[in-house]
Amino acid sequence: MKRPAGFDRSAARQTGTPAPSAPETAAPARPEPARAASASPVGTITEPIPIVRTQQPIPERKPGLSRTMADRLPLGRVPSNREISKALRAARAERRRVERGEVRRFTKRSRRRRMAWIGAAGVAVALVLGVILVGLSPLLALRHIQVVGASRLDAGAISAKLGDQVGKPLALLDQAAISSDLAAFPLIRSYTLESHPPDTLVVRIVERQAIGAVQHGTAFVLVDAAKVPISSSATRPAGYPIIAATGAAADANADSGFAAAAAVLSSLPADVLSRVDTISAKTKDDVSFTLREGGATVVWGSAEDSALKSADLAALLKGAPKASRFDVSSPHSVTTG
């Protein structure tokens, strides 16, 4: 059966197979009369469609990647056992290298955070060690002692008493030994120590303040509010009242009368305190004292509400300066007589 012209080429276009070429000895095909467009069969391609074939480039091998054994061997050669073992070792090494790279890639953030913490800890340790080494070095050894706040006490005597601390680093000064040395001065009420690098220690002391005198036989002893002796003289000290409390020579913790009298004297304003001649107290609730001008008596009572009683007494002294008795034991109901 004779195939129509163009049948082989149309079938080749639809199936994608090349059409058989006509032999060179074959006679040229006889042209057939053109058919009308209306007589063309349905679905027949009358004009050739060009086929464009694109060839994808072969990807280049990245440097550093090991080739397979088949790529390295010449074509047709069978590898030996030694070559196979060597290739397997190389493949395992390559796998380990890739795994290490992946591990490092996924742990990059945690490693950075760990390195930051390690760096901060190293800096802190270095600072601490530096401070310790500098603090314990002879560069910061004590060479000068300054005493501040001494009026009745001799500052030179205090510095000499603390002389055993000279030569020690400021960070290693013996606080207990310093406290024991300063306890030898009864007039020191309190003290503070200040280290001034590189070689100076400042001792700030607060001396005891006398509030009155206690008579022992023919001697008068100035005492503070804790009944600690400050000085002694054969004559009465000027400007200080005589404390005539029961058991004044006993311990201050057991003598409630002296403690109450001392509390009253500490609460009096300076202008009233200077006028007190003698203060007495048998118990903590019956404090009374006499004034120098005129010998007026002031009944104080207990040491409670001392601030209010001091204001009432100041007002009574201005309002009734000639009175011989002032009773402020009840601050809300004062009397004069």
Side-chain angles (χ1 to χ4, degrees):
M1 180 178 178
K2 186 178 180 179
R3 296 180 181 180
F7 177 81
D8 295 335
R9 295 178 181 177
S10 301
R13 293 191 188 99
Q14 293 178 2
T15 59
T17 58
S21 58
E24 296 179 357
T25 59
R30 184 173 54 185
E32 294 183 0
R35 297 180 181 180
S38 60
S40 298
V42 179
T44 303
I45 301 175
T46 59
E47 294 183 1
I49 299 176
I51 299 176
V52 180
R53 297 181 180 179
T54 59
Q55 184 176 3
Q56 299 294 335
I58 300 175
E60 298 180 358
R61 186 182 303 275
K62 295 182 179 180
L65 296 178
S66 62
R67 298 183 302 169
T68 61
M69 183 174 61
D71 295 338
R72 294 194 298 267
L73 291 176
L75 185 63
R77 180 187 171 190
V78 178
S80 63
N81 293 336
R82 182 177 181 182
E83 292 174 340
I84 294 175
S85 300
K86 184 178 180 180
L88 291 176
R89 289 194 300 270
R92 286 194 293 267
E94 180 70 15
R95 180 179 179 180
R96 288 194 297 268
R97 187 184 67 81
V98 173
E99 289 178 351
R100 285 196 301 268
E102 292 297 317
V103 170
R104 290 181 62 84
R105 183 169 66 89
F106 282 102
T107 59
K108 185 176 182 180
R109 182 175 299 179
S110 62
R111 285 186 291 107
R112 286 183 177 179
R113 186 165 52 249
R114 184 168 61 252
M115 292 301 296
W117 280 106
I118 293 175
V123 171
V125 172
L127 288 176
V128 172
L129 291 178
V131 170
I132 292 176
L133 292 177
V134 173
L136 300 181
S137 66
L139 297 176
L140 296 180
L142 178 62
R143 293 182 178 86
H144 306 285
I145 300 177
Q146 296 180 1
V147 180
V148 180
S151 59
R152 294 188 180 91
L153 292 172
D154 185 6
I158 297 176
S159 300
K161 189 69 175 179
L162 300 177
D164 54 347
Q165 301 295 324
V166 175
K168 295 182 179 180
L170 294 178
L172 297 180
L173 294 179
D174 193 347
Q175 304 292 333
I178 294 176
S179 178
S180 177
D181 292 338
L182 295 180
F185 301 90
L187 290 184
I188 297 179
R189 179 182 177 184
S190 61
Y191 69 92
T192 57
L193 301 178
E194 299 178 2
S195 297
H196 291 185
D199 56 1
T200 303
L201 175 66
V202 178
V203 182
R204 299 186 181 275
I205 64 174
V206 178
E207 294 183 345
R208 297 183 180 276
Q209 301 297 325
I211 61 171
V214 177
Q215 186 174 4
H216 292 293
T218 59
F220 295 89
V221 180
L222 280 176
V223 294
D224 67 345
K227 205 164 54 174
V228 176
I230 295 177
S231 64
S232 177
S233 61
T235 59
R236 176 178 175 173
Y240 292 98
I242 299 297
I243 303 176
T246 303
D251 188 10
N253 295 327
D255 188 1
S256 59
F258 180 88
V264 171
L265 291 175
S266 299
S267 64
L268 290 177
D271 56 342
V272 178
L273 180 61
S274 61
R275 299 176 61 180
V276 177
D277 183 47
T278 302
I279 185 170
S280 61
K282 295 181 181 179
T283 63
K284 63 178 183 179
D285 297 323
D286 63 347
V287 180
S288 62
F289 55 87
T290 59
L291 301 178
R292 295 180 182 179
E293 296 86 359
T297 301
V298 178
V299 180
W300 195 270
S302 66
E304 297 179 356
D305 299 325
S306 293
L308 183 57
K309 293 177 181 180
S310 297
D312 292 340
L313 179 59
L316 291 176
L317 291 175
K318 292 181 180 180
K322 302 298 183 180
S324 61
R325 179 182 175 87
F326 302 93
D327 190 348
V328 294
S329 57
S330 178
H332 299 289
S333 178
V334 297
T335 59
T336 58

